[in-house]
């Protein structure tokens, strides 16, 4: 895939820009029915997400490594009048998938509401340019549309990140939008009617349960797809390897620095501590408070690649990943440190080919 000079100068391009060549090739080869205002058919969107080879030989790189059926369900949901909620623990690629879905379906992944405890209702509905409001009174020119309102007018997808971080009374502003597909503007005695193609992709962290739970009325307006952690070690290793290589190119680090052996060890440590048992099922271990997601494994490995590139000989070794590994696991300086030290002494120490990792981590703890 060839990127333009403008794209390569950007630290992280939008999905529709970074993958423009793939999206164009899919659009040219796509002869299947497309829902209103969709750039691609549901089949082509799924192919874009999961990868494949087109009839003309174009290789579509996988954006998501996981269950095909889950992605088919997500895409099919967006082809209906029900919104899509991507649910999962941190690091299960919810935001990544939502961005690529919006890029493939609408050609625009930039209509985003970032949910926080301080997200106001205006972020989901509309606000006002108060200088114009005072000068002109309530007019259409003084109105500031939210990303949701703009998506309704365009007939495109809008993304709402971390929906359960938004206060419950603000969340409920979505109910009328999702059920009636219109947004009243009582100040102007008008309403915005959603154009065909409009829909909402929301993400939520199921570790946030109890923060701002969705009301039953709002839950009914979403089809929920739970994104799981990778099923196997090999699958998770491949996800980390692919993303680390892509991040390395973006950061202009030398090619080929990612070490498969170190990735396998990092992922093995994360999986064992998450599950509370070693890979051979022989030893029960305690789990730390940290999530230890695939995204955190990517971060640990990327940091190791940078250390090897800038302060080492270009080969990623245990010393390069140890600090990032300890930092990812020990979030609570008391309880997590105990868990980590027990794991080092009962598991890592006994693995002969892990002696270098044991030494490097012991020096830090």
């Amino acid at each position: 895939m060839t990127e333009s000079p403008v794209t390569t100068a950007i630290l992280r391009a939008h999905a529709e820009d970074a993958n423009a060549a793939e999206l164009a090739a899919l659009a040219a080869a796509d002869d299947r029915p497309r829902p209103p205002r969709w750039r691609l058919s549901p089949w082509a969107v799924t192919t874009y997400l999961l990868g494949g080879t087109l009839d003309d030989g174009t290789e579509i790189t996988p954006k998501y490594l996981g269950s095909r059926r889950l992605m088919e369900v997500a895409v099919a949901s967006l082809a209906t009048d029900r919104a899509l909620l991507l649910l999962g623990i941190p690091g299960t690629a919810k935001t990544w998938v939502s961005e690529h879905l919006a890029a493939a379906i609408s050609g625009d992944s930039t209509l985003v509401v970032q949910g926080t405890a301080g997200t106001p209702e205006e972020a989901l509905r509309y606000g006002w340019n108060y200088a114009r409001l005072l000068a002109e009174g309530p007019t259409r020119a003084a109105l500031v549309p939210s990303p949701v309102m703009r998506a309704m007018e365009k007939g495109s997808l809008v993304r709402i990140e971390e929906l359960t971080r938004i206060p419950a009374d603000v969340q409920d502003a979505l109910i009328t939008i999702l059920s009636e597909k219109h947004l009243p503007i009582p100040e102007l005695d008008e309403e915005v009617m959603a154009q065909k193609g409009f829909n909402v992709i929301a993400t939520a962290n199921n570790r946030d349960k109890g923060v701002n739970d969705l009301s039953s009325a709002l839950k009914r307006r979403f089809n929920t797809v739970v994104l799981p952690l990778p099923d196997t070690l090999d699958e998770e290793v491949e996800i980390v390897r692919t993303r680390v290589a892509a991040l390395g190119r973006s950061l202009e680090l030398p090619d080929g620095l990612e070490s498969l052996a170190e990735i396998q060890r990092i992922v093995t440590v994360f999986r064992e501590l998450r599950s509370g048992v070693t890979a051979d099922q022989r030893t029960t271990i305690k789990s730390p408070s940290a999530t230890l997601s695939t995204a955190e494994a990517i971060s640990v490995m990327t940091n190791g690649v940078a250390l090897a590139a800038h302060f080492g000989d270009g080969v990623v070794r245990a010393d390069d990943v140890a600090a990032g590994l300890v930092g990812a696991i020990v979030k609570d300086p008391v309880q997590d440190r105990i868990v980590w030290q027990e794991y080092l002494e009962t598991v890592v120490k006994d693995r002969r080919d892990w002696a270098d990792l044991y030494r490097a981590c012991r020096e830090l703890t």
Side-chain angles (χ1 to χ4, degrees), residues 11-85:
L11 185 59
R12 184 182 183 277
H14 297 303
E16 58 271 21
D17 298 325
N19 301 282
E22 291 186 4
L23 290 168
L26 278 164
D30 187 12
D31 59 358
R32 304 194 183 202
R34 304 179 188 184
R37 285 194 170 84
W38 280 38
R39 298 290 186 91
L40 300 172
S41 69
W43 169 84
V45 173
T46 305
T47 301
Y48 169 74
L49 285 169
L50 298 173
T53 304
L54 303 182
D55 292 340
D56 64 1
T58 302
E59 289 289 335
I60 307 299
T61 58
K63 317 302 180 299
Y64 177 78
L65 298 176
S67 167
R68 182 179 188 85
R69 196 56 175 172
L70 273 182
M71 291 301 100
E72 290 174 343
V73 170
V75 173
S77 295
L78 292 171
T80 70
D81 65 344
R82 286 172 66 83
L84 172 66
L85 176 62

Side-chain angles (χ1 to χ4, degrees), residues 45 56 67-68 74 89 91 101 131 167 194 200 228 233 241 249 288 293 307 315 327:
V45 173
D56 64 1
S67 167
R68 182 179 188 85
I89 70 168
L101 281 170
V200 174
L233 174 68
R241 186 198 66 77
R249 289 192 297 272
S293 66
L307 283 171
V315 178

Side-chain angles (χ1 to χ4, degrees), residues 239-249 258 298 301-302 305:
I239 293 171
V240 175
R241 186 198 66 77
T242 302
R243 289 291 295 131
V244 169
L247 286 169
R249 289 192 297 272
E258 65 275 10
I298 293 168
M301 193 63 204
T302 302
V305 168

Side-chain angles (χ1 to χ4, degrees), residues 216-230:
S216 58
L218 191 53
K219 284 180 182 178
R220 290 196 301 270
R221 286 156 175 83
F222 282 99
N223 282 336
T224 300
V225 171
V226 179
L227 297 186
L229 288 163

Side-chain angles (χ1 to χ4, degrees), residues 148-217:
V148 177
M149 183 174 172
R150 289 162 56 199
M152 293 175 73
E153 293 175 323
K154 290 174 57 179
S156 66
L157 296 183
V158 62
R159 300 159 52 207
I160 302 177
E161 297 295 325
E162 303 292 354
L163 180 59
T164 50
R165 288 284 177 183
I166 298 175
D169 57 332
V170 178
Q171 291 176 10
D172 286 344
L174 283 172
I175 292 177
T176 298
I177 294 171
L178 295 180
S179 59
E180 304 298 331
K181 300 298 187 291
H182 70 253
L183 175 58
I185 310 176
E187 297 91 340
L188 302 179
D189 195 22
E190 294 180 12
E191 63 180 359
V192 173
M193 306 294 289
Q195 299 296 303
K196 289 183 177 180
F198 166 74
N199 214 329
V200 174
I201 309 174
T203 66
N205 174 358
N206 59 12
R207 289 284 181 93
D208 285 341
K209 187 174 183 181
V211 177
N212 290 305
D213 288 336
L214 303 185
S215 66
S216 58

Side-chain angles (χ1 to χ4, degrees), residues 3 18 22 82 92 104 107 117 138 155 195 292 316:
E3 295 180 319
E22 291 186 4
R82 286 172 66 83
T92 48
Q195 299 296 303
L292 300 182
V316 180

Side-chain angles (χ1 to χ4, degrees), residues 179-341:
S179 59
E180 304 298 331
K181 300 298 187 291
H182 70 253
L183 175 58
I185 310 176
E187 297 91 340
L188 302 179
D189 195 22
E190 294 180 12
E191 63 180 359
V192 173
M193 306 294 289
Q195 299 296 303
K196 289 183 177 180
F198 166 74
N199 214 329
V200 174
I201 309 174
T203 66
N205 174 358
N206 59 12
R207 289 284 181 93
D208 285 341
K209 187 174 183 181
V211 177
N212 290 305
D213 288 336
L214 303 185
S215 66
S216 58
L218 191 53
K219 284 180 182 178
R220 290 196 301 270
R221 286 156 175 83
F222 282 99
N223 282 336
T224 300
V225 171
V226 179
L227 297 186
L229 288 163
D231 289 334
T232 66
L233 174 68
D234 290 343
E235 186 177 281
E236 191 163 2
V237 166
E238 179 59 18
I239 293 171
V240 175
R241 186 198 66 77
T242 302
R243 289 291 295 131
V244 169
L247 286 169
R249 289 192 297 272
S250 174
L251 298 171
E252 298 186 10
L253 297 172
D255 290 336
L257 275 185
E258 65 275 10
S259 167
L260 190 60
E262 294 305 331
I263 294 174
Q264 288 175 328
R265 293 204 290 194
I266 291 169
V267 172
T268 298
V269 170
F270 275 33
R271 292 179 70 88
E272 289 181 335
L273 287 172
R274 280 198 312 249
S275 64
V277 66
T278 54
D280 59 11
Q281 304 293 311
R282 292 181 179 178
T283 306
T284 300
I285 52 182
K286 296 176 182 177
S287 295
S289 61
T291 305
L292 300 182
S293 66
T294 307
E296 289 171 296
I298 293 168
S299 178
V300 170
M301 193 63 204
T302 302
N303 187 65
V305 168
L307 283 171
H310 296 302
F311 301 103
D313 59 3
V315 178
V316 180
R317 295 185 173 88
D319 288 339
D320 299 311
V321 301
L325 188 60
V326 174
I329 294 168
V330 181
K331 301 298 187 185
D332 183 316
V334 178
Q335 297 299 324
D336 289 347
R337 188 172 296 277
I338 293 172
V339 170
W340 175 234
Q341 288 176 339

